[in-house]
Amino acid sequence: MAHKILIAEDSPTMRALIVSTIAAMGDFDIVEAANGFEALRVLPREQVDLVITDINMPDINGLELVSFVKNNPRYRHTPLFIISTEGSKKDREKGIALGADAYLVKPFAPEELQALIRRHLYGEDAGDA
């Protein structure tokens, strides 16, 4: 059964890049949300195996989404990655402190995202990324 990944990203271009990066890995079901609010509406309807979110989004931002996911017993153990233009040490620490499992700064190397997905969904070592 294919893993299902929720992508919350307000930029259609960046969302398409993330989708193509994941699609290049093989068989994944991808659910797209254009903002944090839409992602919160998707979560109860879809059994997702991984959440990828931007930080800067309208309505509910990515940090609020991270906080919701990681404080909800239903999703607490669901891996969550942040992909953001906010790349300062303070931003990274805040995202990780809220419970994000990984933090990538845009622009990111597709191989880096693929390695993180393999590590968190399949337990594979990402030493080749």
Side-chain angles (χ1 to χ4, degrees):
M1 188 166 120
H3 286 283
K4 188 174 288 186
I5 298 176
L6 170 62
I7 300 170
E9 167 63 64
D10 62 329
S11 163
T13 303
M14 181 54 67
R15 218 171 38 241
L17 175 64
I18 295 169
V19 167
S20 68
T21 297
I22 295 168
M25 296 176 66
D27 188 26
F28 286 93
D29 290 333
I30 298 172
V31 181
E32 299 180 45
N35 56 52
F37 181 73
E38 202 174 302
L40 289 179
R41 289 180 34 195
V42 166
L43 277 171
R45 297 191 318 244
E46 304 280 349
Q47 178 65 42
V48 300
D49 301 298
L50 171 68
V51 177
I52 297 174
T53 185
D54 187 12
I55 288 180
N56 296 318
M57 295 186 291
D59 301 322
I60 296 170
N61 70 41
L63 292 177
E64 292 168 319
L65 180 62
V66 172
S67 182
F68 173 81
V69 168
K70 291 302 182 175
N71 286 308
N72 185 312
R74 181 174 175 189
Y75 313 114
R76 180 178 313 151
H77 300 294
T78 302
L80 186 149
F81 305 160
I82 293 173
I83 300 178
S84 177
T85 56
E86 306 295 331
S88 73
K89 182 178 178 186
K90 181 179 174 185
D91 291 323
R92 290 171 175 255
E93 288 174 350
K94 186 172 185 176
I96 297 299
L98 285 172
D101 297 280
Y103 194 115
L104 294 176
V105 177
K106 298 174 188 173
F108 63 91
E111 297 80 13
E112 190 176 7
L113 176 59
Q114 291 171 341
L116 284 171
I117 291 170
R118 284 193 299 271
R119 182 182 319 146
H120 286 273
L121 293 183
Y122 302 113
E124 294 179 13
D125 184 10
D128 59 335

